[in-house]
Amino acid sequence: MPVTTDSGTIVIEEGVFSKRVRRPIDVLRFTLAVLGTLGVITLSTILLNTFSAIDQDVADSASRLPAIVALVLGIVTGIGQFILPFIVAYSLLTRRGGRLLAEAVLSFIVAALLIGVAVGLLRDYGSNDLWFALAGTSEREIFPLQALIASVTALITVARLRGSASVASTVIVGASAVADNLAGRFTVTSLVASLLFGWAVGLGFRYIFGTPTTRPKGLEVAKTLHTAGIAINVLRATTSTDHGRRYVATTPENEKFHVVVYDRDLEGAGLFPRWWRSLRLRDNDALGGWTMRQAVERSALMAYATEAIAAPTPRLVTLRSIGDDASVLVYKWIEDADNEQSINVSDAALTSAWKALKTLHDASIAHRSLSPDHLVFHADNSVTLLHITSGSVAMSDLQRRIDLADMLISLSLIASPEAAVKSAQTVFTQSDIADALPALQVFALSSANRKLLRKQRGLLGHIRELVAAEAPATTLQSVTLERLQPRKLITLVLAFVAGYLLLGQIGDVDILNLLTSANYNWVGFAIAMTIITYIGSAMALLGFVVERLSLWRTFLAQWAASFATLISPPALGTVAVNGRYLQREGLPATAAGATVAVSQALAFLVHIGLLFVAGYLTGSNQDFTFDPPREVVVGVASVALLLLVILPLPKVRRYLVSIARPRISEVVPRFVTLSQQPAKLAVGIGGMFILNLAFCAVLVASVYAFDGSGSIAAISLVYLAGSTLGQVAPTPGGIGAVEAVMTAGLIAIGIDPGIALSSVLLFRLLTFWIPTVPGWFAFQYLLKRGSL
């Protein structure tokens, strides 16, 4: 599109971009607002007395305030709330923001409605502590959240007020919050939660409907270049980036420039992936440069630093601001940068690429985003390194290693792994090249190389083999790349979940009284039987493995399984840990799966057999009316009904057959092999009997520890029936279902309800909760040994 300016006619080719954009930074702020709201409410509920004391201190201080202060606050609040809508309307209409004004008004209404819904849910389902933290009283008739402040906050968030209007609205909202708190109408928790809630609603509106863009148009970019002394007659947009757009500018003398425009609309783009990478990778500051100003300053720093050492990178000509919301950087034109790179790159060109990287590293500069697209090969076999804007000065040893690894990957993709390693040896020492070995891992590489390697599955392993074959053995060393490993993060989360579930289940139980009132002889016997359950579990696994396993590590694996059960249904955690353990001990995946499948199938048959035996021994002359909790009955019935409905469906049957057939084909040969080793089979089946009988003994001892009555057979029947129903429960370790069923069962055989509950809690404490502590240590030990 030709445009006439003071400097002449300029042809601008930039396409049409939307007048409204969804800003990535709004997603980040929305997340922070939601987490802040939940965090404030949760913290005030947990620290109820502390926050109540704060409200009381504020009330005491308010009573001693001079009257003039209260008067000023009242005037500012009253007048401010009246004129604020007019301030917003005037500010938006003078900016021709009629649509934005309508969205702001709509957000005001929606915030008020959502506050009403939230209060209704809190009134009906909120705990007493939660309600008191918000309302400052136990009365449920009052309105605990400040709907007006929430709505006004949403309004001004959507309006994006500027200048004096922004300052005035902030003062009015702040004064209103202070006045409400000093007057005792709302608690500190309520006001902070209302402000954050309104902010979240406003940010949600901004992202859903978009906000007016502040991106400069091509004409503004051209005028800025003219101001900087670069007169152009063509400006053509090429690509968009996380921070803005790229242009090619041409002068009347046919001189070209690369033009990069950064704008605020794209602040925060890609922040979550970069945050995760920064969290996971050591010596990584991927969060740097996420604002427009930081990105511009970092790009300029890297351009000037590389120019000072004469590195083959684009030279920065000038940089300028375009108003308050954008900046432009102009680079010297790089020939061949827009051309497709030839796959027939010479050895001399590969060597030039390594020399370019060595020039950076000799000056302690890291590129940090090397990929095939960031290497430009010229006809004279020279190389230019592009997009060093995310690089670092004063690089760390880890950044140096990652750069070497990225260059190996890039040149392997352009030429071949053999050519990449061979050319590296002409520039770097064998020791330097070997330093790349620890960094040749997918998560450590640049994002572009990670994407390319997904299409080249075996390439990374092949490069490792070539580098390792040439590396001096004395130079190889272990380097820790990860700051936070996913496995450690999962372990931490599991520990937190376990602690939360434990506190929720026994929070209202007087554990000290429970333990002091028990008969310690029976408690000691129960502890001994608990340890024997793990011996039986280890035997049950060893008996179905033809290969030789370590008895000690197998025993520890059963303790580790008790920790895994905290976050999975009862059987699932054990199956997962045992399957993983067998594979790490050298069994093929199919053999490990078959072993666990055979073990679980026979364990179920043994369990059901003992259930019938216990039922028979209990006898029919005892009044044994088993009335399980309604929730358990409904849950089991619902699952059974669902199975009856979906199992007859042809697609479901075919899916189950496709899964079961290979499993059966694996299990049957395994079982035939075991049948030829009766001693092994006897150990496995014997371990299953020991496991179940020891659990029965623990429950019997727990009942007798509180002077409970009931026959051994009847109590054992309760355990066997309760654990069977507990396997169906989807909760971790069957929490809730096992306790409910076993307590109801003990009451049904005539045991006092108080003793029944205490017995079940002691049983679960010994068999489920306490073993998680040694289970965690066993889990960590086996992880370090590579057995899990």
Side-chain angles (χ1 to χ4, degrees):
M1 178 184 68
V3 178
T4 302
T5 66
D6 295 338
S7 59
T9 301
I10 302 174
V11 177
I12 299 176
E13 301 175 5
E14 63 175 344
V16 179
F17 53 83
S18 175
K19 294 182 179 180
R20 299 176 71 87
V21 293
R22 292 184 174 92
R23 305 176 71 205
I25 193 66
D26 286 339
V27 178
L28 173 64
R29 290 169 176 165
F30 175 81
T31 303
L32 294 176
V34 172
L35 293 177
T37 304
L38 297 176
V40 167
I41 293 175
T42 302
L43 190 63
S44 62
T45 304
I46 296 173
L47 304 176
L48 184 60
N49 293 334
T50 301
F51 277 79
S52 297
I54 292 174
D55 289 324
Q56 185 60 48
D57 291 341
V58 171
D60 293 341
S61 300
S63 63
R64 294 191 292 269
L65 280 177
I68 186 62
V69 175
L71 178 62
V72 170
L73 278 176
I75 293 174
V76 172
T77 302
I79 297 178
Q81 291 177 353
F82 175 76
I83 67 171
L84 183 59
F86 296 98
I87 294 176
V88 174
Y90 176 79
S91 176
L92 293 180
L93 291 177
T94 54
R95 289 155 45 193
R96 297 182 179 180
R99 174 179 170 179
L100 197 58
L101 176 60
E103 292 171 1
V105 173
L106 182 60
S107 70
F108 181 95
I109 298 172
V110 170
L113 292 175
L114 290 177
I115 282 284
V117 171
V119 169
L121 293 175
L122 288 171
R123 181 177 286 117
D124 294 337
Y125 303 105
S127 66
N128 292 332
D129 287 347
L130 175 59
W131 183 269
F132 191 90
L134 289 171
T137 178
S138 300
E139 297 179 7
R140 300 258 172 165
E141 291 77 17
I142 67 171
F143 205 87
L145 294 175
Q146 225 304 15
L148 181 59
I149 283 183
S151 299
V152 170
T153 303
L155 175 80
I156 61 179
T157 300
V158 173
R160 293 186 67 185
L161 301 178
R162 299 176 181 178
S164 58
S166 175
V167 175
S169 62
T170 303
V171 171
I172 292 170
V173 172
S176 299
V178 172
D180 284 336
N181 187 246
L182 292 178
R185 289 189 290 268
F186 294 96
T187 63
V188 172
T189 302
S190 173
L191 292 168
V192 174
S194 300
L195 283 167
L196 291 173
F197 186 89
W199 190 38
V201 172
L203 291 168
F205 260 75
R206 271 171 38 172
Y207 192 76
I208 293 172
F209 295 103
T211 54
T213 181
T214 59
R215 297 177 183 178
K217 296 182 179 180
L219 179 59
E220 296 176 78
V221 176
K223 289 181 178 179
T224 302
L225 295 181
H226 179 70
T227 303
I230 303 175
I232 64 173
N233 60 356
V234 178
L235 184 67
R236 178 172 56 87
T238 56
T239 58
S240 296
T241 68
D242 285 346
H243 293 290
R245 290 157 291 155
R246 296 183 184 275
Y247 294 86
V248 175
T250 307
T251 67
E253 294 78 22
N254 206 31
E255 183 181 6
K256 291 183 177 181
F257 296 93
H258 287 287
V259 179
V260 182
V261 177
Y262 291 84
D263 57 67
R264 294 192 187 278
D265 283 346
L266 293 177
E267 283 186 343
L271 184 62
F272 288 109
R274 285 188 288 165
W275 171 81
W276 170 245
R277 181 170 172 82
S278 180
L279 183 66
R280 186 177 180 187
L281 194 61
R282 300 176 69 92
D283 287 337
N284 186 281
D285 59 340
L287 290 180
W290 70 274
T291 67
M292 184 201 74
R293 180 56 57 188
Q294 290 174 342
V296 170
E297 291 174 350
R298 186 166 192 165
S299 298
L301 169 65
M302 297 309 303
Y304 292 140
T306 54
E307 183 181 355
I309 61 172
T313 57
R315 186 173 72 84
L316 181 63
V317 177
T318 187
L319 69 160
R320 289 287 189 277
S321 293
I322 308 177
D324 296 329
D325 298 314
S327 295
V328 59
L329 289 85
V330 182
Y331 294 90
K332 275 287 188 181
W333 179 256
I334 302 297
E335 294 294 337
D336 304 316
D338 290 341
N339 299 334
E340 291 292 331
Q341 298 296 302
S342 172
I343 60 173
N344 298 317
V345 178
S346 66
D347 291 340
L350 297 178
T351 301
S352 295
W354 286 110
K355 288 181 178 178
L357 182 62
K358 193 171 191 307
T359 300
L360 294 180
H361 285 188
D362 287 346
S364 194
I365 297 175
H367 189 287
R368 299 184 62 200
S369 63
L370 287 168
S371 70
D373 290 339
H374 294 171
L375 299 173
V376 178
F377 294 92
H378 304 288
D380 60 354
N381 290 326
S382 62
V383 172
T384 300
L385 304 179
L386 301 181
H387 302 296
I388 197 171
T389 52
S390 60
S392 294
V393 295
M395 70 177 181
S396 67
D397 179 65
L398 180 56
Q399 290 170 347
R400 178 182 64 86
R401 293 170 184 265
I402 293 176
D403 260 5
L404 291 169
D406 270 323
M407 183 63 87
L408 281 169
I409 298 294
S410 301
L411 297 184
S412 296
L413 290 166
I414 293 172
S416 69
E418 290 78 8
V421 175
K422 182 179 178 181
S423 58
Q425 293 170 346
T426 63
V427 179
F428 288 92
T429 65
Q430 293 285 7
S431 177
D432 289 335
I433 300 171
D435 286 343
L437 266 176
L440 284 170
Q441 303 181 53
V442 174
F443 74 89
L445 303 174
S446 66
S447 59
N449 279 344
R450 292 200 301 271
K451 293 176 182 177
L452 293 171
L453 284 176
R454 292 170 191 165
K455 303 174 184 178
Q456 304 280 344
R457 293 291 182 181
L459 180 63
L460 188 59
H462 185 37
I463 296 173
R464 283 200 202 101
E465 292 174 359
L466 292 175
V467 174
E470 299 292 336
T474 55
T475 65
L476 296 179
Q477 55 180 307
S478 176
V479 178
T480 302
L481 299 181
E482 294 177 284
R483 176 184 285 124
L484 180 63
Q485 298 177 350
R487 185 174 61 186
K488 291 182 178 179
L489 180 62
I490 292 173
T491 302
L492 182 64
V493 171
L494 298 186
F496 175 79
V497 171
Y500 175 80
L501 293 174
L502 175 62
L503 291 175
Q505 189 175 85
I506 65 176
D508 296 330
V509 178
D510 189 348
I511 299 296
L512 182 61
N513 181 63
L514 179 69
L515 296 177
T516 55
S517 62
N519 185 314
Y520 285 104
N521 292 329
W522 283 113
V523 172
F525 178 74
I527 293 173
M529 289 297 102
T530 299
I531 296 174
I532 290 176
T533 62
Y534 291 94
I535 297 175
S537 182
M539 292 173 58
L541 183 62
L542 287 169
F544 295 98
V545 180
V546 179
E547 294 79 4
R548 185 176 181 82
L549 294 177
S550 165
L551 176 61
W552 172 244
R553 287 197 297 272
T554 306
F555 177 68
L556 290 180
Q558 309 316 302
W559 286 94
S562 67
F563 174 71
T565 306
L566 277 172
I567 45 84
S568 63
L572 187 59
T574 302
V575 169
V577 170
N578 283 335
R580 177 67 175 170
Y581 166 71
L582 292 177
Q583 291 184 51
R584 300 295 288 181
E585 288 295 310
L587 271 72
T590 54
T595 298
V596 175
V598 170
S599 176
Q600 290 296 313
L602 287 181
F604 178 75
L605 294 177
V606 170
H607 189 94
I608 296 300
L610 289 174
L611 180 64
F612 281 109
V613 170
Y616 174 78
L617 294 176
T618 300
S620 58
N621 58 343
Q622 183 173 354
D623 183 13
F624 190 70
T625 304
F626 181 48
D627 184 20
R630 179 185 176 188
E631 292 79 3
V632 176
V633 176
V634 171
V636 174
S638 300
V639 172
L641 181 61
L642 181 62
L643 292 176
L644 289 175
V645 171
I646 66 173
L647 286 179
L649 298 176
K651 289 186 178 180
V652 176
R653 290 203 310 271
R654 286 195 296 269
Y655 175 72
L656 292 177
V657 169
S658 66
I659 293 178
R661 183 172 293 166
R663 303 298 191 277
I664 293 174
S665 64
E666 296 169 1
V667 170
V668 172
R670 194 76 177 175
F671 190 76
V672 171
T673 304
L674 286 170
S675 65
Q676 298 173 0
Q677 300 185 31
K680 274 272 187 184
L681 202 57
V683 170
I685 296 176
M688 292 173 184
F689 277 101
I690 292 174
L691 174 67
N692 283 279
L693 293 176
F695 270 123
C696 292
V698 175
L699 184 58
V700 170
S702 298
V703 173
Y704 290 173
F706 294 99
D707 296 327
S709 58
S711 66
I712 294 177
I715 298 174
S716 299
L717 178 62
V718 170
Y719 161 73
L720 294 167
S723 61
T724 302
L725 293 175
Q727 301 294 324
V728 183
T731 56
I735 293 174
V738 172
E739 289 82 359
V741 171
M742 287 189 179
T743 301
L746 292 177
I747 294 173
I749 64 174
I751 296 177
D752 179 78
I755 294 178
L757 177 60
S758 299
S759 302
V760 171
L761 289 177
L762 178 60
F763 172 81
R764 291 288 277 173
L765 194 65
L766 295 177
T767 61
F768 181 70
W769 290 111
I770 291 180
T772 60
V773 177
W776 183 85
F777 285 104
F779 193 86
Q780 295 298 319
Y781 173 78
L782 293 175
L783 279 178
K784 291 179 180 179
R785 284 201 79 266
S787 296
L788 279 182

